[in-house]
Amino acid sequence: MKLTDTQLERYSRHIILNEVGAKGQQKLLESKVLIIGTGGLGSPAAMFLAAAGVGTIGLVDFDAVELSNLQRQIIHFTPDVGKPKVFSAKEKINQMNPDVEVVTYREMVNSKNIIDIIKDRDYDFIIDGTDNFPTKFLINDACVMLKKPFSHAGIIRFDGQTMTYVPEKGPCFRCIFQNPPPPDAVPTCRQAGVLGVMGGIIGTIQATEAIKYLLGIGDLLTGYILIYNALKMEFRKVKINKRESCEVCGKNPTIKELIDYEQPQCDLKG
């Protein structure tokens, strides 16, 4: 397909980049990204991917917008309170960029539906924008089993972290954190709090990783975890190694079916 005059103007700042160009922009328009969680991380990721012209964006979230979400979940506005998050987010994306097809899944992901959701449009890249450890492990294991690349991230207080998994090219989330922590081991959202802009900083990095992967450019956070502290304004890029004995991506995986771990109300603020 040839880019229209409107698209040439809309994406002109991409097209003049040697690393993107018209061919790269067309590739983005043909790409499909699934965002699981449309909260603090998923909101900025969805907005920037839509603005970039990623042609199909899937949104997964069961929750409705609450007033307390608006301090950080920037895709939702005050009139959206009470509205399902996936519908609120879809409205903003449609207003931002009519090139983008938005597919909504108003579901809570679990071991029974996550495979079908990922396969529904054969998504090219997955973004984990969730706020609890059991779902993060579920996303990791599903992506490893399906050989799908994904971006993990978590934020709490003034801290954030993110890493990118690419099949056969680096460690998965479980290589670092073998199992979810006990339900009471990590403070809840209400106990810990989170600086609103943290989602914007880390979620935008997740969108950047998705775009780079789709275009096949640059160096991804594969084999590294990026740690950010807002108070110190400090980024640390820490090398991580694939664990050969990893239960899901190792040489002899012992986890061959998806697991629904006990899920506390909230661990990491998404």
Side-chain angles (χ1 to χ4, degrees):
M1 291 179 62
K2 186 177 179 180
L3 296 175
T4 66
D5 290 343
T6 300
Q7 290 173 328
L8 288 171
E9 181 177 357
R10 179 185 287 272
Y11 307 116
S12 61
R13 301 306 188 272
H14 270 177
I15 293 168
I16 62 175
L17 293 170
N18 291 333
E19 293 85 352
V20 183
K23 289 184 178 179
Q25 187 59 54
Q26 186 61 53
K27 193 169 186 179
L28 290 178
L29 287 163
E30 295 169 354
S31 296
K32 295 164 286 187
V33 175
L34 181 68
I35 302 173
I36 303 178
T38 53
L41 294 164
S43 289
M47 293 179 79
F48 272 106
L49 290 173
V54 171
T56 302
I57 296 177
L59 302 173
V60 187
D61 205 309
F62 181 74
D63 290 340
V65 179
E66 298 179 6
L67 189 60
S68 62
N69 298 153
L70 304 184
Q71 164 254 14
R72 65 201 173 281
Q73 300 181 17
I74 58 172
I75 206 166
H76 310 299
F77 301 162
T78 301
D80 297 318
V81 171
K83 186 181 297 183
K85 288 184 179 180
V86 291
F87 300 154
S88 168
K90 180 177 180 177
E91 288 176 359
K92 311 309 185 306
I93 292 173
N94 287 341
Q95 292 171 28
M96 177 186 293
N97 192 347
D99 287 341
V100 181
E101 179 188 6
V102 183
V103 186
T104 58
Y105 308 87
R106 197 187 178 200
E107 303 178 51
M108 185 178 295
V109 291
N110 55 51
S111 63
K112 295 178 175 58
N113 65 12
I114 190 169
I115 298 292
D116 289 338
I117 290 172
I118 294 172
K119 286 184 174 181
D120 181 47
R121 296 298 178 96
D122 191 21
Y123 289 99
D124 302 303
F125 193 90
I126 318 298
I127 288 182
D128 171 11
T130 62
D131 63 0
N132 63 83
F133 285 109
T135 308
K136 290 183 181 300
F137 278 88
L138 181 69
I139 293 169
N140 176 82
D141 295 353
C143 287
V144 171
M145 291 176 185
L146 292 174
K147 299 187 183 304
K148 292 287 184 179
F150 79 95
S151 169
H152 151 79
I155 55 174
I156 196 167
R157 299 189 181 96
F158 299 93
D159 297 293
Q161 65 181 35
T162 183
M163 61 170 281
T164 299
Y165 167 78
V166 177
E168 313 298 334
K169 291 190 177 180
C172 74
F173 183 66
R174 201 181 278 272
C175 284
I176 313 167
F177 309 103
Q178 288 185 244
N179 293 290
D184 298 327
V186 178
T188 65
C189 316
R190 293 180 177 85
Q191 292 170 329
V194 62
L195 188 68
V197 297
M198 293 301 301
I201 295 165
I202 303 300
T204 302
I205 292 174
Q206 290 186 280
T208 306
E209 290 287 278
I211 291 169
K212 286 160 52 185
Y213 175 82
L214 296 171
L215 293 175
I217 62 173
D219 297 322
L220 297 171
L221 287 171
T222 305
Y224 293 92
I225 187 163
L226 185 68
I227 301 169
Y228 172 65
N229 179 270
L231 290 179
K232 295 179 181 178
M233 193 50 69
E234 179 179 86
F235 282 94
R236 290 189 298 127
K237 189 176 176 183
V238 180
K239 176 70 176 174
I240 52 176
N241 296 314
K242 180 180 176 68
R243 186 164 54 85
E244 297 300 330
S245 60
C246 177
E247 294 78 4
V248 69
C249 79
K251 290 183 176 180
N252 298 295
T254 56
I255 295 177
K256 300 181 180 179
E257 295 183 355
L258 297 176
I259 304 168
D260 289 314
Y261 291 101
E262 180 183 356
Q263 189 163 164
Q265 184 176 3
C266 178
D267 304 305
L268 289 174
K269 198 61 202 153

